[in-house]
Amino acid sequence: MDTVLSGIRSTGNLHLGNYFGALRNFIRMQDENRCFFFIADIHSLTTHPNPKYLHENVKNVLVDYLAAGIDPERSVIYIQSDVPETIELYLYLNMHAYLGELAKTTSFKEKARKQPENVNAGLLTYPTLMAADILIHNADKVPVGKDQEQHLEMTRKFARRFNNFYGVEYFKEPVAYNFGEELIKIPGLDGSGKMGKSEGNAIYLADSPKEIEKKVKRALTDSGPTEPNSVKPDYIENLFTIMRAVSTPDVVQHYENKWNSCEIRYGDMKKQLAGDIIKVTSPIRERILEIEKDDAYLRKVTKEGAEKARESASKTITAVRKIVGFKKF
Ligand code: TRP
C-alpha cells in the first residue's frame, strides 16, 4: 500500500473548483492508500497573517474536508503545527539546501515580487519545509497541482542529496499522484478561466442554496446565438463545463441541443444549473453546519490525527538523527 501525503493550504473556505479539482479525488484516494492529509498552517506564516484569523482559517478548511468525506477513521488528518518533528527535519534539510537554488524557485520569485517588503527566510525555504512535510512520512505519492510541481521536484532532489551525502538509502523520491481523467477544472462564473477565492467568482461548499442561485443568476451571458451550431464564447462554454460536472448527461445534451438550434434560454439553463450545483453541495453544507459547532469532535479528530502523525514522524526523526551523527552519551 502506498503512502500518500496531501498538503492543504489553510486559506479559508473551499469552493466548487477545489471540490472537483482535488477534494473528490482525495475521498477516493483513501480506499487504496495510506493517506495523510495535513493543513499547512506553518507555511501560511510566510505572509504574516493576523493571529486573530489563523485558527479560524485552519478550522474552515478542516471542517470542509471532514464534511466532504475525508475520513479520520481511515486516514490521518492533522495540523502541521501539531507535528514539531516536521520542523526538526526542515532544519536538517536546510543544511543541504543552497541559497542559489532556493532563490531561483518560481514561487519564491513570484512572492518576492508581490511582497517586496517581506522577503523573509521562511519564504526562501518554503520548498524545504514542504520537502520536510513529505519526507517526514517517507510518502510515495503527493497529489499536487501544476504550481506545486517544481516543489515536488525539489523534494526529490533534497531526498537524493541527503541519501548521497550520508551514504544511505533512507528517503524515497516521491512522485506526483496523478488523477488523470478524473481531474475536472471548474471555471469561474464571470467568464474567466478559473474558479478561485482571489478571483472573487467562486461558489463555496458552504454557500446556502439562495446564495448559489444568486451567484449563478449573475453569471455572464448574452442574447444567445443567431447561427445554428455556432462556437460558444468562453463565458457560455464555462457554464456548460460546470454543468457537465454537476448535471446528468441528458440534461447537458438537452441544453447543447438548445444551443445548437438557437433556442437556448439562459434563464432556464441557470435555474437547472443552480439546482444541480445545490444537489452536490447541500449534503456537504449540512455536514459543515453540524461539524463546525461540534468542538468536541474537532478536538478529538485533531488530537488523534496529531498522535498518529507524530508516531510516523518520530520514527523518521529518530532514524535521521542517527544518520546525521547525533549520539547519546
Ligand atoms: N505548497 C502547497 C500549496 O500551496 C501546500 C503544501 C505544503 C503541500 N506542504 C505540502 C502540498 C506538502 C503537498 C505536500 O498548495
Side-chain angles (χ1 to χ4, degrees):
M1 210 185 215
D2 282 340
T3 297
V4 176
L5 176 103
S6 171
I8 302 153
R9 247 177 268 196
S10 56
T11 49
N13 295 96
L14 300 179
H15 52 68
L16 214 59
N18 300 129
Y19 182 72
F20 283 101
L23 194 43
R24 216 173 41 136
N25 298 302
F26 288 175
I27 294 156
R28 298 191 185 135
M29 222 160 60
Q30 301 179 103
D31 298 331
E32 298 129 37
N33 304 279
R34 177 173 187 240
C35 289
F36 289 89
F37 297 96
F38 80 95
I39 300 175
D41 59 345
I42 305 178
H43 270 115
S44 78
L45 297 180
T46 53
T47 57
H48 295 176
N50 186 328
K52 263 207 320 231
Y53 307 118
L54 192 64
H55 178 74
E56 203 54 31
N57 281 342
V58 170
K59 181 177 170 178
N60 283 336
V61 177
L62 178 67
V63 169
D64 284 1
Y65 270 84
L66 292 169
I70 299 290
D71 179 5
E73 299 291 321
R74 287 187 291 159
S75 301
V76 181
I77 174 157
Y78 68 97
I79 318 291
Q80 190 182 28
S81 60
D82 282 340
V83 182
E85 289 81 1
T86 305
I87 311 167
E88 186 174 339
L89 181 58
Y90 162 63
L91 188 140
Y92 301 145
L93 294 176
N94 270 335
M95 302 301 173
H96 297 275
Y98 294 97
L99 178 61
E101 62 187 340
L102 293 169
K104 70 171 201 231
T105 311
T106 309
S107 62
F108 174 73
K109 288 194 291 193
E110 213 165 276
K111 270 277 158 60
R113 190 167 45 75
K114 272 195 203 148
Q115 50 178 63
E117 73 298 340
N118 181 20
V119 186
N120 61 63
L123 207 56
L124 181 73
T125 56
Y126 189 108
T128 35
L129 182 55
M130 184 156 155
D133 292 327
I134 298 166
L135 299 177
I136 198 74
H137 303 299
N138 235 329
D140 300 285
K141 292 180 178 166
V142 185
V144 286
K146 269 248 163 303
D147 61 328
Q148 299 297 318
E149 273 170 9
Q150 189 181 28
H151 291 155
L152 193 57
E153 184 65 49
M154 290 171 83
T155 301
R156 284 193 286 269
K157 190 155 74 171
F158 294 146
R160 215 178 306 134
R161 193 178 290 161
F162 181 96
N163 289 347
N164 287 341
F165 184 87
Y166 295 106
V168 292
E169 291 232 9
Y170 186 70
F171 286 124
K172 294 183 202 165
E173 290 185 35
V175 298
Y177 194 106
N178 194 348
F179 295 123
E181 304 271 298
E182 308 291 337
L183 211 63
I184 301 173
K185 281 211 179 74
I186 299 290
L189 287 169
D190 53 355
S192 73
K194 194 176 155 203
M195 181 173 285
K197 185 179 147 94
S198 46
E199 284 80 359
N201 59 13
I203 292 176
Y204 293 95
L205 298 178
D207 279 349
S208 69
K210 272 220 151 51
E211 285 169 299
I212 293 174
E213 278 162 12
K214 227 167 74 191
K215 286 180 180 178
V216 174
K217 229 180 232 166
R218 277 204 311 254
L220 185 65
T221 49
D222 51 27
S223 51
T226 48
E227 293 276 323
N229 305 315
S230 24
V231 175
K232 303 184 190 86
D234 284 349
Y235 50 93
I236 300 297
E237 185 56 44
N238 285 355
L239 293 182
F240 275 91
T241 302
I242 303 176
M243 189 169 244
R244 272 178 228 118
V246 297
S247 305
T248 57
D250 53 310
V251 166
V252 179
Q253 195 54 53
H254 171 81
Y255 287 98
E256 289 281 4
N257 295 344
K258 291 277 175 204
W259 167 269
N260 285 332
S261 59
C262 305
E263 294 168 313
I264 193 151
R265 288 164 51 171
Y266 293 126
D268 293 351
M269 183 179 178
K270 284 179 172 179
K271 215 186 224 159
Q272 176 80 40
L273 183 59
D276 289 341
I277 291 173
I278 292 164
K279 265 191 218 147
V280 173
T281 58
S282 72
I284 302 175
R285 175 170 190 264
E286 276 161 32
R287 284 195 297 272
I288 290 175
L289 296 177
E290 262 169 47
I291 296 173
E292 72 184 356
K293 51 178 201 265
D294 194 347
D295 289 334
Y297 176 67
L298 292 173
R299 204 173 306 123
K300 177 172 179 286
V301 166
T302 49
K303 183 168 172 279
E304 289 178 3
E307 280 165 10
K308 287 186 221 159
R310 290 195 70 181
E311 197 185 308
S312 154
S314 63
K315 278 190 200 135
T316 304
I317 279 300
T318 303
V320 167
R321 281 173 154 258
K322 206 167 144 211
I323 291 168
V324 166
F326 293 140
K327 228 183 222 173
K328 293 266 180 278
F329 282 96

